[in-house]
Structures are given as structure tokens and as C-alpha cells.
Coordinates of all heavy atoms in Angstrom, one line a residue:
N92 N -71.2 -30.1 -195.7 CA -69.9 -29.4 -195.4 C -69.4 -28.8 -196.7 O -69.2 -29.4 -197.7 CB -68.9 -30.4 -194.9 CG -69.2 -31.0 -193.5 OD1 -70.0 -30.4 -192.8 ND2 -68.7 -32.1 -193.2
N93 N -69.2 -27.5 -196.5 CA -68.6 -26.7 -197.6 C -67.2 -26.3 -197.4 O -66.8 -26.0 -196.2 CB -69.5 -25.4 -197.9 CG -70.9 -25.7 -198.3 OD1 -71.1 -26.7 -199.1 ND2 -71.8 -24.9 -197.9
A94 N -66.4 -26.2 -198.4 CA -65.0 -25.8 -198.3 C -64.9 -24.5 -199.1 O -65.5 -24.4 -200.2 CB -64.1 -26.8 -198.8
Y95 N -64.2 -23.5 -198.6 CA -64.0 -22.2 -199.2 C -62.5 -22.0 -199.4 O -61.7 -22.3 -198.5 CB -64.6 -21.1 -198.4 CG -66.1 -21.1 -198.3 CD1 -66.7 -21.8 -197.2 CD2 -66.9 -20.6 -199.3 CE1 -68.1 -21.8 -197.1 CE2 -68.3 -20.7 -199.2 CZ -68.9 -21.3 -198.1 OH -70.2 -21.4 -198.0
F96 N -62.2 -21.5 -200.5 CA -60.8 -21.2 -200.8 C -60.7 -19.7 -201.2 O -61.5 -19.2 -202.1 CB -60.3 -22.0 -202.0 CG -58.9 -21.8 -202.4 CD1 -57.8 -22.2 -201.7 CD2 -58.6 -21.0 -203.6 CE1 -56.5 -22.0 -202.0 CE2 -57.3 -20.8 -204.0 CZ -56.3 -21.3 -203.2
I97 N -59.9 -18.9 -200.5 CA -59.7 -17.5 -200.8 C -58.4 -17.3 -201.5 O -57.3 -17.7 -201.0 CB -59.8 -16.7 -199.5 CG1 -61.2 -16.9 -198.9 CG2 -59.5 -15.2 -199.8 CD1 -61.3 -16.2 -197.5
M98 N -58.5 -16.7 -202.7 CA -57.3 -16.4 -203.5 C -57.1 -14.9 -203.7 O -58.1 -14.3 -204.1 CB -57.4 -17.1 -204.8 CG -56.3 -16.9 -205.8 SD -56.4 -17.9 -207.3 CE -58.1 -18.1 -207.7
E99 N -56.0 -14.4 -203.3 CA -55.7 -13.0 -203.5 C -54.9 -12.8 -204.7 O -53.8 -13.4 -204.9 CB -55.0 -12.4 -202.3 CG -54.7 -11.0 -202.4 CD -53.9 -10.4 -201.3 OE1 -53.7 -11.1 -200.3 OE2 -53.5 -9.2 -201.3
L100 N -55.3 -12.0 -205.6 CA -54.6 -11.7 -206.9 C -54.3 -10.2 -207.0 O -55.1 -9.4 -206.7 CB -55.4 -12.1 -208.1 CG -55.9 -13.6 -208.1 CD1 -56.9 -13.8 -209.2 CD2 -54.7 -14.5 -208.3
Q101 N -53.1 -10.0 -207.5 CA -52.7 -8.6 -207.8 C -53.0 -8.2 -209.2 O -53.3 -7.1 -209.5 CB -51.2 -8.5 -207.6 CG -50.7 -8.7 -206.1 CD -51.1 -7.6 -205.2 OE1 -51.2 -6.5 -205.5 NE2 -51.4 -8.0 -203.9
Q102 N -53.0 -9.2 -210.1 CA -53.2 -8.9 -211.5 C -54.3 -9.9 -212.1 O -53.9 -10.9 -212.6 CB -52.0 -8.9 -212.3 CG -50.9 -7.9 -211.9 CD -49.6 -8.0 -212.6 OE1 -49.2 -9.1 -213.0 NE2 -48.9 -6.9 -212.7
M103 N -55.5 -9.6 -212.0 CA -56.6 -10.4 -212.4 C -56.5 -10.8 -213.9 O -56.8 -11.9 -214.3 CB -57.9 -9.8 -212.1 CG -59.1 -10.7 -212.4 SD -59.1 -12.0 -211.2 CE -60.8 -12.5 -211.4
E104 N -55.9 -9.9 -214.7 CA -55.9 -10.1 -216.2 C -54.9 -11.3 -216.5 O -55.0 -11.8 -217.6 CB -55.5 -8.8 -216.9 CG -54.1 -8.3 -216.6 CD -54.1 -7.4 -215.4 OE1 -55.1 -7.2 -214.7 OE2 -53.0 -6.8 -215.1
N105 N -54.0 -11.6 -215.6 CA -53.0 -12.7 -215.8 C -53.6 -14.1 -215.4 O -52.8 -15.1 -215.4 CB -51.7 -12.4 -215.2 CG -51.0 -11.2 -215.8 OD1 -51.3 -10.9 -217.0 ND2 -50.1 -10.6 -215.1
T106 N -54.8 -14.1 -214.9 CA -55.4 -15.4 -214.4 C -56.1 -16.1 -215.5 O -56.8 -15.5 -216.3 CB -56.4 -15.0 -213.2 OG1 -55.7 -14.2 -212.3 CG2 -56.9 -16.3 -212.6
L107 N -55.9 -17.4 -215.5 CA -56.6 -18.3 -216.5 C -58.1 -18.1 -216.4 O -58.7 -18.0 -215.3 CB -56.3 -19.7 -216.3 CG -54.8 -20.1 -216.5 CD1 -54.6 -21.6 -216.0 CD2 -54.4 -20.0 -217.9
E108 N -58.7 -18.0 -217.6 CA -60.2 -17.9 -217.7 C -60.9 -19.0 -217.0 O -62.0 -18.8 -216.4 CB -60.6 -17.8 -219.1 CG -62.0 -17.2 -219.4 CD -62.1 -15.7 -218.8 OE1 -61.2 -14.9 -219.0 OE2 -63.1 -15.5 -218.1
T109 N -60.4 -20.2 -217.0 CA -61.1 -21.3 -216.3 C -61.1 -21.1 -214.8 O -62.0 -21.6 -214.1 CB -60.4 -22.7 -216.6 OG1 -59.0 -22.6 -216.3 CG2 -60.5 -23.0 -218.1
I110 N -60.1 -20.4 -214.3 CA -60.1 -20.1 -212.8 C -61.1 -19.0 -212.5 O -61.9 -19.1 -211.6 CB -58.7 -19.8 -212.3 CG1 -57.8 -21.1 -212.4 CG2 -58.7 -19.3 -210.9 CD1 -56.4 -20.8 -212.1
K111 N -61.0 -17.9 -213.3 CA -61.9 -16.8 -213.1 C -63.3 -17.1 -213.2 O -64.2 -16.6 -212.4 CB -61.5 -15.7 -214.1 CG -60.2 -14.9 -213.9 CD -60.2 -13.7 -214.6 CE -59.8 -13.9 -216.1 NZ -59.5 -12.6 -216.8
S112 N -63.7 -18.1 -214.1 CA -65.1 -18.4 -214.3 C -65.7 -19.2 -213.1 O -66.9 -19.2 -212.9 CB -65.3 -19.2 -215.5 OG -64.6 -20.5 -215.4
R113 N -64.8 -19.7 -212.2 CA -65.3 -20.5 -211.1 C -65.2 -19.7 -209.8 O -65.4 -20.2 -208.7 CB -64.5 -21.7 -210.9 CG -64.8 -22.7 -212.0 CD -63.8 -23.9 -212.1 NE -64.1 -24.9 -213.0 CZ -63.9 -24.8 -214.3 NH1 -63.3 -23.7 -214.9 NH2 -64.2 -25.8 -215.1
C114 N -64.8 -18.4 -209.9 CA -64.6 -17.6 -208.7 C -65.6 -16.4 -208.6 O -66.0 -15.9 -209.6 CB -63.2 -17.0 -208.7 SG -61.9 -18.2 -208.6
Q115 N -65.8 -16.0 -207.4 CA -66.5 -14.7 -207.2 C -65.5 -13.7 -206.9 O -64.7 -13.8 -206.0 CB -67.5 -14.9 -206.0 CG -68.2 -13.6 -205.7 CD -69.1 -13.8 -204.5 OE1 -69.3 -14.8 -203.9 NE2 -69.7 -12.7 -204.1
Q116 N -65.6 -12.6 -207.7 CA -64.6 -11.6 -207.6 C -65.1 -10.5 -206.6 O -66.2 -10.0 -206.7 CB -64.3 -10.9 -208.9 CG -63.2 -9.8 -208.9 CD -62.9 -9.3 -210.2 OE1 -63.2 -9.9 -211.3 NE2 -62.3 -8.1 -210.3
I117 N -64.2 -10.2 -205.6 CA -64.5 -9.1 -204.7 C -63.3 -8.2 -204.7 O -62.2 -8.5 -204.4 CB -64.6 -9.7 -203.2 CG1 -65.8 -10.7 -203.2 CG2 -64.9 -8.6 -202.2 CD1 -65.8 -11.5 -201.9
N118 N -63.6 -6.9 -205.1 CA -62.5 -5.9 -205.2 C -62.3 -5.3 -203.9 O -63.3 -4.8 -203.2 CB -62.9 -4.9 -206.3 CG -62.9 -5.5 -207.7 OD1 -62.1 -6.3 -208.0 ND2 -63.9 -5.1 -208.4
M119 N -61.1 -5.2 -203.4 CA -60.8 -4.6 -202.2 C -60.0 -3.3 -202.5 O -59.1 -3.3 -203.3 CB -59.8 -5.5 -201.4 CG -60.4 -6.9 -201.2 SD -61.8 -7.0 -200.1 CE -61.1 -6.8 -198.5
E120 N -60.4 -2.2 -201.8 CA -59.8 -1.0 -202.1 C -58.4 -0.9 -201.3 O -58.3 -1.5 -200.2 CB -60.6 0.2 -201.6 CG -60.8 0.4 -200.1 CD -61.6 1.6 -199.8 OE1 -62.8 1.6 -199.9 OE2 -60.9 2.6 -199.3
Q121 N -57.5 -0.3 -201.9 CA -56.2 -0.1 -201.2 C -56.2 1.2 -200.5 O -56.9 2.2 -201.0 CB -55.1 -0.2 -202.2 CG -54.8 -1.6 -202.8 CD -53.5 -1.6 -203.6 OE1 -53.0 -0.6 -204.0 NE2 -53.0 -2.8 -203.7
Y122 N -55.5 1.3 -199.4 CA -55.4 2.5 -198.7 C -54.3 3.4 -199.3 O -53.3 3.0 -199.8 CB -55.1 2.2 -197.2 CG -56.2 1.5 -196.5 CD1 -56.1 0.1 -196.3 CD2 -57.3 2.1 -196.1 CE1 -57.1 -0.6 -195.7 CE2 -58.3 1.4 -195.4 CZ -58.2 0.1 -195.2 OH -59.2 -0.6 -194.6
N123 N -54.6 4.7 -199.1 CA -53.6 5.7 -199.6 C -52.5 5.8 -198.5 O -52.6 5.3 -197.4 CB -54.2 7.1 -199.9 CG -54.8 7.7 -198.7 OD1 -54.3 7.7 -197.6 ND2 -55.9 8.4 -198.9
D124 N -51.4 6.5 -198.8 CA -50.2 6.6 -197.9 C -50.6 7.2 -196.6 O -50.1 6.8 -195.6 CB -49.1 7.4 -198.6 CG -48.4 6.7 -199.7 OD1 -48.6 5.5 -199.8 OD2 -47.7 7.3 -200.5
E125 N -51.4 8.2 -196.6 CA -51.8 8.8 -195.3 C -52.6 7.8 -194.4 O -52.3 7.8 -193.2 CB -52.7 10.0 -195.6 CG -53.1 10.8 -194.4 CD -53.9 12.1 -194.7 OE1 -53.4 12.9 -195.6 OE2 -55.0 12.2 -194.1
E126 N -53.5 7.1 -195.0 CA -54.2 6.1 -194.2 C -53.3 5.0 -193.7 O -53.4 4.5 -192.5 CB -55.3 5.4 -195.0 CG -56.4 6.4 -195.4 CD -57.4 5.9 -196.4 OE1 -56.9 5.3 -197.4 OE2 -58.6 6.1 -196.3
I127 N -52.3 4.5 -194.5 CA -51.4 3.5 -194.1 C -50.5 4.1 -192.9 O -50.2 3.4 -191.9 CB -50.5 3.1 -195.2 CG1 -51.3 2.3 -196.2 CG2 -49.3 2.3 -194.7 CD1 -50.7 1.9 -197.5
E128 N -50.1 5.3 -193.0 CA -49.3 6.0 -192.0 C -50.1 6.0 -190.7 O -49.5 5.7 -189.6 CB -48.9 7.4 -192.4 CG -47.9 8.0 -191.5 CD -46.5 7.4 -191.6 OE1 -46.1 7.1 -192.7 OE2 -46.0 7.1 -190.5
E129 N -51.4 6.3 -190.7 CA -52.2 6.3 -189.5 C -52.3 4.9 -188.9 O -52.3 4.7 -187.7 CB -53.6 6.8 -189.9 CG -53.7 8.3 -190.2 CD -55.0 8.7 -190.6 OE1 -56.0 8.0 -190.5 OE2 -55.1 9.9 -191.2
M130 N -52.4 3.9 -189.7 CA -52.5 2.5 -189.2 C -51.2 2.1 -188.6 O -51.2 1.5 -187.5 CB -52.9 1.5 -190.3 CG -54.3 1.6 -190.8 SD -54.7 0.3 -192.0 CE -54.5 1.2 -193.5
I131 N -50.1 2.4 -189.2 CA -48.8 2.1 -188.6 C -48.6 2.8 -187.2 O -48.2 2.2 -186.2 CB -47.6 2.6 -189.5 CG1 -47.6 1.7 -190.8 CG2 -46.3 2.5 -188.8 CD1 -46.7 2.2 -191.9
K132 N -49.0 4.1 -187.2 CA -48.9 4.8 -185.9 C -49.8 4.2 -184.8 O -49.4 4.0 -183.7 CB -49.4 6.3 -186.1 CG -49.2 7.1 -184.8 CD -49.6 8.6 -185.1 CE -49.6 9.4 -183.9 NZ -49.5 8.9 -182.6
Y133 N -51.0 3.8 -185.2 CA -51.9 3.2 -184.3 C -51.3 1.9 -183.7 O -51.3 1.6 -182.5 CB -53.3 2.9 -184.9 CG -54.2 2.1 -184.0 CD1 -54.9 2.7 -183.0 CD2 -54.4 0.7 -184.2 CE1 -55.7 2.0 -182.2 CE2 -55.2 0.0 -183.4 CZ -55.9 0.6 -182.4 OH -56.7 -0.1 -181.5
I134 N -50.8 1.0 -184.6 CA -50.2 -0.3 -184.1 C -49.0 0.0 -183.3 O -48.8 -0.6 -182.3 CB -49.9 -1.2 -185.3 CG1 -51.2 -1.6 -186.0 CG2 -49.1 -2.4 -184.9 CD1 -51.0 -2.3 -187.4
K135 N -48.2 0.9 -183.8 CA -47.0 1.3 -183.0 C -47.3 1.8 -181.6 O -46.6 1.3 -180.7 CB -46.2 2.4 -183.8 CG -44.9 2.8 -183.3 CD -44.3 3.9 -184.2 CE -43.1 4.5 -183.6 NZ -42.5 5.5 -184.4
D136 N -48.3 2.6 -181.5 CA -48.6 3.1 -180.1 C -49.3 2.0 -179.3 O -49.0 1.9 -178.1 CB -49.6 4.3 -180.3 CG -48.9 5.5 -180.9 OD1 -47.6 5.6 -181.0 OD2 -49.6 6.5 -181.3
K137 N -50.2 1.3 -179.9 CA -50.9 0.2 -179.2 C -50.0 -0.8 -178.6 O -50.1 -1.2 -177.5 CB -52.0 -0.4 -180.1 CG -52.8 -1.5 -179.5 CD -53.9 -2.0 -180.4 CE -53.3 -2.8 -181.6 NZ -52.9 -4.2 -181.4
D138 N -49.1 -1.3 -179.5 CA -48.2 -2.4 -179.1 C -46.9 -2.0 -178.6 O -46.0 -2.8 -178.3 CB -48.0 -3.4 -180.3 CG -49.3 -4.1 -180.6 OD1 -50.2 -4.3 -179.7 OD2 -49.5 -4.5 -181.8
K139 N -46.7 -0.6 -178.5 CA -45.4 0.0 -178.0 C -44.2 -0.5 -178.8 O -43.2 -0.8 -178.2 CB -45.3 -0.3 -176.5 CG -46.4 0.3 -175.7 CD -46.2 0.0 -174.2 CE -47.3 0.7 -173.4 NZ -48.6 0.8 -173.8
Y140 N -44.3 -0.5 -180.1 CA -43.2 -0.8 -181.0 C -42.3 0.4 -181.2 O -42.8 1.5 -181.2 CB -43.7 -1.3 -182.3 CG -44.2 -2.7 -182.3 CD1 -45.5 -2.9 -182.9 CD2 -43.5 -3.8 -181.9 CE1 -46.0 -4.2 -182.9 CE2 -44.0 -5.1 -181.9 CZ -45.3 -5.3 -182.4 OH -45.8 -6.5 -182.5
I141 N -41.1 0.1 -181.4 CA -40.1 1.2 -181.8 C -39.5 0.7 -183.1 O -38.9 -0.3 -183.1 CB -39.0 1.4 -180.7 CG1 -39.7 1.9 -179.4 CG2 -38.0 2.5 -181.2 CD1 -38.7 1.9 -178.2
F142 N -39.7 1.5 -184.1 CA -39.1 1.2 -185.4 C -37.9 2.0 -185.8 O -37.8 3.2 -185.4 CB -40.2 1.5 -186.5 CG -41.5 0.8 -186.4 CD1 -42.6 1.6 -186.2 CD2 -41.6 -0.6 -186.4 CE1 -43.9 0.9 -186.0 CE2 -42.8 -1.2 -186.3 CZ -44.0 -0.4 -186.1
T143 N -37.0 1.3 -186.5 CA -35.9 2.1 -187.1 C -36.5 2.9 -188.3 O -37.6 2.5 -188.7 CB -34.8 1.2 -187.6 OG1 -35.3 0.4 -188.6 CG2 -34.2 0.4 -186.5
E144 N -35.9 3.9 -188.7 CA -36.4 4.6 -189.9 C -36.5 3.7 -191.1 O -37.5 3.8 -191.8 CB -35.5 5.8 -190.2 CG -36.0 6.8 -191.2 CD -35.1 8.0 -191.4 OE1 -34.7 8.6 -190.4 OE2 -34.8 8.3 -192.6
D145 N -35.6 2.8 -191.3 CA -35.6 1.9 -192.4 C -36.8 0.9 -192.3 O -37.5 0.6 -193.3 CB -34.3 1.1 -192.5 CG -33.2 1.9 -193.1 OD1 -33.4 3.0 -193.7 OD2 -32.0 1.5 -192.8
A146 N -37.0 0.4 -191.1 CA -38.1 -0.5 -190.9 C -39.5 0.2 -191.1 O -40.4 -0.4 -191.8 CB -38.1 -1.1 -189.5
H147 N -39.6 1.4 -190.7 CA -40.8 2.2 -190.9 C -41.1 2.3 -192.4 O -42.2 2.1 -192.9 CB -40.7 3.5 -190.2 CG -42.0 4.3 -190.2 ND1 -42.9 4.2 -189.2 CD2 -42.5 5.1 -191.1 CE1 -44.0 5.0 -189.5 NE2 -43.7 5.5 -190.7
R148 N -40.1 2.7 -193.1 CA -40.2 2.9 -194.6 C -40.6 1.6 -195.3 O -41.4 1.5 -196.1 CB -38.9 3.5 -195.1 CG -39.0 3.9 -196.6 CD -37.8 4.6 -197.1 NE -36.5 4.2 -196.6 CZ -35.7 4.8 -195.7 NH1 -36.2 5.9 -195.1 NH2 -34.6 4.3 -195.3
M149 N -39.9 0.5 -194.8 CA -40.2 -0.8 -195.4 C -41.6 -1.3 -195.2 O -42.3 -1.7 -196.1 CB -39.2 -1.9 -194.9 CG -39.3 -3.3 -195.5 SD -40.5 -4.4 -194.7 CE -40.0 -4.4 -193.0
I150 N -42.1 -1.1 -193.9 CA -43.5 -1.5 -193.6 C -44.5 -0.6 -194.4 O -45.4 -1.1 -195.0 CB -43.7 -1.3 -192.1 CG1 -42.9 -2.4 -191.3 CG2 -45.2 -1.5 -191.8 CD1 -42.9 -2.1 -189.8
K151 N -44.2 0.7 -194.5 CA -45.1 1.6 -195.3 C -45.2 1.2 -196.7 O -46.2 1.2 -197.4 CB -44.6 3.0 -195.1 CG -45.6 4.0 -195.7 CD -45.1 5.4 -195.4 CE -46.0 6.4 -196.0 NZ -45.6 7.8 -195.7
Q152 N -44.0 0.8 -197.3 CA -44.0 0.5 -198.7 C -44.6 -0.9 -199.0 O -45.2 -1.1 -200.0 CB -42.6 0.5 -199.3 CG -42.0 1.9 -199.4 CD -40.5 1.8 -199.7 OE1 -39.9 0.8 -199.8 NE2 -40.0 3.0 -200.0
A153 N -44.4 -1.9 -198.1 CA -44.8 -3.2 -198.3 C -46.3 -3.5 -198.0 O -47.0 -4.3 -198.7 CB -44.0 -4.2 -197.5
A154 N -46.8 -2.8 -197.0 CA -48.2 -3.1 -196.5 C -49.2 -2.3 -197.2 O -49.1 -1.1 -197.5 CB -48.2 -2.8 -195.0
R155 N -50.3 -3.0 -197.6 CA -51.4 -2.3 -198.2 C -52.7 -2.4 -197.4 O -53.7 -1.9 -197.9 CB -51.6 -2.9 -199.6 CG -50.5 -2.5 -200.6 CD -50.6 -1.1 -201.0 NE -49.4 -0.4 -200.6 CZ -49.3 1.0 -200.4 NH1 -50.3 1.7 -200.6 NH2 -48.2 1.5 -200.0
N156 N -52.7 -3.1 -196.3 CA -53.9 -3.2 -195.4 C -53.5 -3.4 -194.0 O -52.3 -3.6 -193.7 CB -54.9 -4.2 -195.9 CG -54.3 -5.6 -195.8 OD1 -53.7 -6.0 -194.8 ND2 -54.4 -6.4 -196.9
Y157 N -54.4 -3.2 -193.1 CA -54.1 -3.3 -191.7 C -53.5 -4.6 -191.3 O -52.6 -4.7 -190.5 CB -55.4 -3.0 -190.9 CG -55.3 -2.9 -189.4 CD1 -54.8 -1.7 -188.8 CD2 -55.5 -4.0 -188.6 CE1 -54.6 -1.7 -187.5 CE2 -55.3 -3.9 -187.2 CZ -54.9 -2.7 -186.7 OH -54.7 -2.7 -185.3
Y158 N -54.1 -5.7 -191.8 CA -53.6 -7.0 -191.4 C -52.1 -7.2 -191.9 O -51.3 -7.7 -191.1 CB -54.4 -8.1 -192.1 CG -53.9 -9.5 -191.9 CD1 -54.1 -10.1 -190.6 CD2 -53.2 -10.2 -192.8 CE1 -53.7 -11.4 -190.4 CE2 -52.8 -11.5 -192.6 CZ -53.0 -12.1 -191.4 OH -52.5 -13.3 -191.1
Q159 N -51.8 -6.7 -193.0 CA -50.4 -6.8 -193.5 C -49.4 -6.0 -192.6 O -48.3 -6.4 -192.3 CB -50.2 -6.3 -194.9 CG -50.8 -7.3 -196.0 CD -50.7 -6.7 -197.4 OE1 -50.6 -5.5 -197.6 NE2 -50.6 -7.6 -198.3
I160 N -49.9 -4.8 -192.2 CA -49.1 -4.0 -191.3 C -48.8 -4.7 -190.0 O -47.7 -4.7 -189.5 CB -49.7 -2.6 -191.1 CG1 -49.7 -1.8 -192.4 CG2 -49.0 -1.8 -190.0 CD1 -50.6 -0.5 -192.3
Q161 N -49.9 -5.3 -189.4 CA -49.8 -6.0 -188.2 C -48.8 -7.1 -188.3 O -47.9 -7.3 -187.5 CB -51.1 -6.6 -187.7 CG -51.9 -5.7 -186.9 CD -53.1 -6.4 -186.4 OE1 -53.8 -7.2 -187.1 NE2 -53.4 -6.3 -185.1
M162 N -48.9 -7.9 -189.4 CA -48.0 -9.1 -189.6 C -46.6 -8.7 -189.8 O -45.6 -9.3 -189.2 CB -48.5 -9.9 -190.7 CG -49.8 -10.6 -190.5 SD -49.8 -11.8 -189.1 CE -50.6 -10.8 -187.8
L163 N -46.4 -7.6 -190.5 CA -45.0 -7.1 -190.7 C -44.4 -6.6 -189.4 O -43.2 -6.9 -189.2 CB -45.0 -6.0 -191.8 CG -45.1 -6.4 -193.2 CD1 -45.4 -5.2 -194.1 CD2 -43.9 -7.2 -193.7
C164 N -45.1 -5.9 -188.6 CA -44.6 -5.5 -187.3 C -44.3 -6.6 -186.4 O -43.2 -6.6 -185.8 CB -45.7 -4.6 -186.7 SG -45.9 -3.0 -187.4
K165 N -45.1 -7.6 -186.4 CA -44.9 -8.7 -185.5 C -43.8 -9.7 -186.0 O -43.0 -10.2 -185.2 CB -46.2 -9.5 -185.3 CG -47.2 -8.7 -184.5 CD -48.5 -9.5 -184.3 CE -49.4 -8.6 -183.5 NZ -50.7 -9.3 -183.3
S166 N -43.7 -9.9 -187.3 CA -42.7 -10.8 -187.8 C -41.3 -10.3 -188.0 O -40.4 -11.1 -188.2 CB -43.3 -11.4 -189.1 OG -43.3 -10.4 -190.1
H167 N -41.2 -9.0 -188.0 CA -39.8 -8.4 -188.2 C -39.3 -7.9 -186.8 O -39.1 -6.7 -186.7 CB -39.9 -7.3 -189.2 CG -40.1 -7.8 -190.6 ND1 -41.3 -8.2 -191.1 CD2 -39.2 -8.0 -191.6 CE1 -41.2 -8.6 -192.3 NE2 -39.9 -8.5 -192.6
S168 N -39.1 -8.8 -185.9 CA -38.6 -8.5 -184.6 C -37.3 -7.8 -184.6 O -36.9 -7.0 -183.7 CB -38.6 -9.7 -183.7 OG -37.7 -10.7 -184.2
I169 N -36.5 -8.0 -185.7 CA -35.2 -7.3 -185.8 C -35.4 -5.8 -186.0 O -34.6 -5.0 -185.6 CB -34.3 -7.9 -186.9 CG1 -32.9 -7.4 -186.8 CG2 -34.9 -7.7 -188.3 CD1 -31.9 -8.1 -187.7
Y170 N -36.6 -5.5 -186.6 CA -36.9 -4.1 -186.8 C -37.8 -3.5 -185.8 O -37.9 -2.3 -185.7 CB -37.6 -4.0 -188.2 CG -36.8 -4.4 -189.4 CD1 -37.1 -5.5 -190.1 CD2 -35.6 -3.7 -189.7 CE1 -36.3 -5.9 -191.2 CE2 -34.8 -4.0 -190.8 CZ -35.2 -5.2 -191.5 OH -34.4 -5.5 -192.6
C171 N -38.5 -4.3 -185.1 CA -39.5 -3.9 -184.1 C -39.1 -4.3 -182.7 O -39.0 -5.5 -182.4 CB -40.9 -4.4 -184.4 SG -41.5 -4.1 -186.1
I172 N -38.9 -3.3 -181.9 CA -38.5 -3.6 -180.5 C -39.7 -3.4 -179.6 O -40.3 -2.3 -179.6 CB -37.3 -2.7 -180.1 CG1 -36.2 -2.8 -181.1 CG2 -36.9 -3.0 -178.6 CD1 -35.1 -1.7 -181.0
R173 N -40.1 -4.4 -178.9 CA -41.2 -4.3 -178.0 C -40.9 -4.1 -176.6 O -39.9 -4.6 -176.1 CB -42.0 -5.6 -178.1 CG -43.4 -5.5 -177.6 CD -44.3 -6.6 -178.0 NE -45.6 -6.2 -177.7 CZ -46.6 -7.0 -178.0 NH1 -46.5 -8.1 -178.5 NH2 -47.8 -6.6 -177.7

């Protein structure tokens, strides 16, 4: 039985060397603003969400991948009307 631990870091240079030496580093590319906008539109259309302008801006600024966009849309029901 193996156990795996996934750690997401924003600033690898601030991580202790003892931790880095025991980890496998996988770099994930971040999406540009246009790609994020396309993902928001896809989720919005698919799930029939209606966003306020402020909510849309907040989601666009906060999310850097599809999973984050989905979670922000679902967890901010005050901003997302289904």
C-alpha cells in the first residue's frame, strides 16, 4: 500500500530544501486571460450560471485553472444563480 501526498506551491524558492529533496516537481502551466475567459464562459453556459459583473471579475482574477473556476462558481452561490 502506497500513500501519495500532493502539495501545490506558488513559490518553490521559499520551500525548505529537505522538503524539495523528497518531492517530484511537476510544473503546471497557467492559462492566459483569454483561455480563462473561455473556461468561465463554458462553465457558465453548461451549468446555466448567471454572474454579477463583480463575481465574474473575481472568478477571473482568482482562478488559474479549470478546476478552480468550477469550484469558485459552485461555492459562491451568492454570486452564481443557477
Side-chain angles (χ1 to χ4, degrees):
N92 292 339
N93 293 325
Y95 294 94
F96 179 76
I97 298 174
M98 178 172 33
E99 179 183 355
L100 302 170
Q101 298 289 328
Q102 298 175 331
M103 186 68 162
E104 64 274 5
N105 294 336
T106 305
L107 294 173
E108 199 58 47
T109 54
I110 294 174
K111 287 195 282 191
S112 68
R113 291 166 175 81
C114 295
Q115 177 181 353
Q116 183 175 341
I117 301 171
N118 295 318
M119 308 292 284
E120 73 176 74
Q121 289 191 341
Y122 294 101
N123 64 38
D124 288 343
E125 185 178 305
E126 291 168 320
I127 290 172
E128 191 66 47
E129 289 173 16
M130 286 185 267
I131 292 171
K132 182 179 178 345
Y133 173 77
I134 293 169
K135 183 178 175 181
D136 293 345
K137 178 178 70 81
D138 294 332
K139 298 182 178 34
Y140 286 125
I141 299 171
F142 303 116
T143 65
E144 190 175 310
D145 287 340
H147 187 94
R148 187 172 39 256
M149 183 272 306
I150 292 168
K151 186 174 178 181
Q152 289 174 351
R155 290 289 118 199
N156 62 49
Y157 186 81
Y158 177 76
Q159 286 178 335
I160 293 170
Q161 272 188 315
M162 293 300 100
L163 285 168
C164 290
K165 290 179 181 178
S166 66
H167 288 79
S168 58
I169 192 167
Y170 298 114
C171 306
I172 304 164
R173 195 166 193 180

